[in-house]
Amino acid sequence: MTFQVNPLRKYVREDRMPHFFCPGCGCGQVLTSFLRGVDALSLDINKMTTVAGVGCTARIPVYMKTDTLHGVHGRTLPWATGIKLHSPETKVVVFAGDGDAVSIGGNHFIHAARRNLDVLMIVVNNFNFAMTGGQVAPMTPAGSVTMTTPYGSGEPPFDLCALAVAAGATYVARAATPYIPQMDNAIQKGLEHEGFGVVEVLSQCPTHFGRYALGSGSPAKTLDWIRGVCVSKAKADTLSPEELRGKLVTGEFVSVSRPVFKGSTFLKDENGGRNP
Amino acid sequence: MSVTIDKNLCKGCALCVTACSKNVFEIGTEVNQKGFSVSVAARAGDCVQCGVCEKTCPDLAIRVE
Ligand SMILES: Cc1ncc(C[n+]2csc(CCOP(=O)(O)OP(=O)(O)O)c2C)c(N)n1
Ligand code: SF4
Ligand code: SF4
Ligand code: SF4
């Protein structure tokens, strides 16, 4: 019998594998979901650019055969903006942790949405600053024990998808790693979308969020906890605000079309007129 | 028809063990070069080729064919 390998491995840098993620980390599942999207849409991975800052999530592009920019924490969208303005035909995808996206990178996030930058941003929400050891972050559920909130977090988290919608993003969806077909679907639709797309993926960090907040470093138990906080959009529409307290709604929140960002000023055309 | 696990990529996270409705996998006693106890398809004959394990594995270690 010949040794069979997962066909998605044609898209990864074999010399970098196995990847650095802890056993059972959701980042690996987001990576494979993204590769299934690339495969399903027959995109040419060699012509795509992925961008990431610093964090566990930010390691995702390091393993794929896209052009990759792995740089400074929180500054993914300024680079993505530059790449997109220089080469508008390039498909650009940002991978960011929740900290990268809406803590240090929060301002870039709202302005990329306002401008409708033609970039897909996949935000891996693992409910903490994972790479630095599991500190409280803007997406940590209120009350959670983390490394820096030993008696529970006293802060409310952001609703990242609501923030994206309010700021003007044109494709916004929330998925979760326990529900792989829905996650694949959200990422694939994000890849097809023209304009600023945000796919928030609720994802397990067993090593830090699991151990501190849930009292177990088991990947399966961390996934069970995520299943417990997820409510589908269809179900959520039938529930009261009290019933939805502490829940995270999964599904698609917006999918619309409007002109994409082409630069901060119009250019002059040959006749001295305005070139849109 | 086969379920193959690449021992060099498996990290023994056991997500395939819990994901498979046919209870095909278990974490065995073999330790790979990175020090992880790897998963084995101990009951591969029970596999119905649903493909869930292949999509669940965070490490691209599984192939079902
Ligand atoms: C400018 C800057 N500030 C702070 C840090 C320290 N730092 C590294 S990763 C990180 C947060 C990681 O959290 P997140 O972005 O949510 O990604 P995760 O590791 O959880 O996937 C921080 C604060 C840094 N590297 N650079
Ligand atoms: S620390 Fe958490 S997020 Fe980072 S690789 Fe480990 S499990 Fe994944
Ligand atoms: S899901 Fe993958 S990495 Fe985890 S134990 Fe199974 S084969 Fe190994
Ligand atoms: S394909 Fe389905 S039945 Fe077969 S081993 Fe994988 S999860 Fe189990």
Side-chain angles (χ1 to χ4, degrees), chain B residues 1-3 16 19-25 41 43-44 46-54 56 62 64:
Chain B
M1 193 174 119
S2 65
V3 182
C16 52
C20 174
S21 60
K22 294 293 169 187
N23 194 28
V24 164
F25 302 97
R43 289 163 291 278
D46 294 343
C47 172
V48 293
Q49 288 190 286
C50 66
V52 166
C53 56
E54 186 175 311
T56 299
I62 304 182
V64 182

Side-chain angles (χ1 to χ4, degrees), chain A residues 107-261:
Chain A
N107 246 329
H108 302 304
F109 183 78
I110 56 174
H111 292 288
R114 173 179 65 82
R115 288 165 157 174
N116 199 28
L117 182 70
D118 183 20
V119 160
L120 170 64
M121 187 173 201
I122 298 176
V123 181
V124 176
N125 176 7
N126 55 20
F127 310 98
N128 69 163
F129 291 134
M131 178 170 262
T132 42
Q135 296 83 2
V136 69
M139 303 300 294
T140 304
S144 306
V145 171
T146 68
M147 180 208 248
T148 45
T149 55
Y151 305 108
S153 165
E155 300 183 19
F158 268 135
D159 180 336
L160 189 143
C161 287
L163 182 65
V165 172
T170 45
Y171 177 73
V172 180
R174 184 182 286 120
T177 52
Y179 305 111
I180 288 173
Q182 290 85 341
M183 167 166 69
D184 286 3
N185 183 47
I187 290 178
Q188 195 177 317
K189 282 190 86 173
L191 279 169
E192 286 173 299
H193 180 75
E194 199 190 351
F196 193 57
V198 177
V199 177
E200 176 188 354
V201 183
L202 310 177
S203 173
Q204 72 278 18
C205 167
T207 303
H208 297 305
F209 190 76
R211 282 190 308 136
Y212 282 114
L214 310 176
S216 164
S218 147
K221 285 196 177 142
T222 315
L223 275 171
D224 284 344
W225 177 83
I226 295 176
R227 272 189 202 98
V229 295
C230 282
V231 181
S232 71
K233 195 164 170 293
K235 174 98 192 285
D237 291 342
T238 70
L239 298 177
S240 67
E242 291 74 53
E243 291 170 309
L244 281 172
R245 191 160 303 135
K247 298 287 183 193
L248 287 161
V249 180
T250 55
E252 190 178 294
F253 300 101
V254 75
S255 179
V256 293
S257 169
R258 70 181 171 88
V260 300
F261 182 63

Side-chain angles (χ1 to χ4, degrees), chain B:
Chain B
M1 193 174 119
S2 65
V3 182
T4 317
I5 301 170
D6 187 336
K7 287 178 199 160
N8 295 322
L9 294 192
C10 174
K11 292 179 187 150
C13 72
L15 288 182
C16 52
V17 177
T18 46
C20 174
S21 60
K22 294 293 169 187
N23 194 28
V24 164
F25 302 97
E26 62 191 34
I27 301 301
T29 48
E30 191 183 340
V31 176
N32 71 8
Q33 56 185 3
K34 295 272 181 184
F36 294 115
S37 298
V38 298
S39 178
V40 277
R43 289 163 291 278
D46 294 343
C47 172
V48 293
Q49 288 190 286
C50 66
V52 166
C53 56
E54 186 175 311
K55 287 187 176 173
T56 299
C57 177
D59 288 86
L60 290 167
I62 304 182
R63 175 63 178 156
V64 182
E65 214 157 30

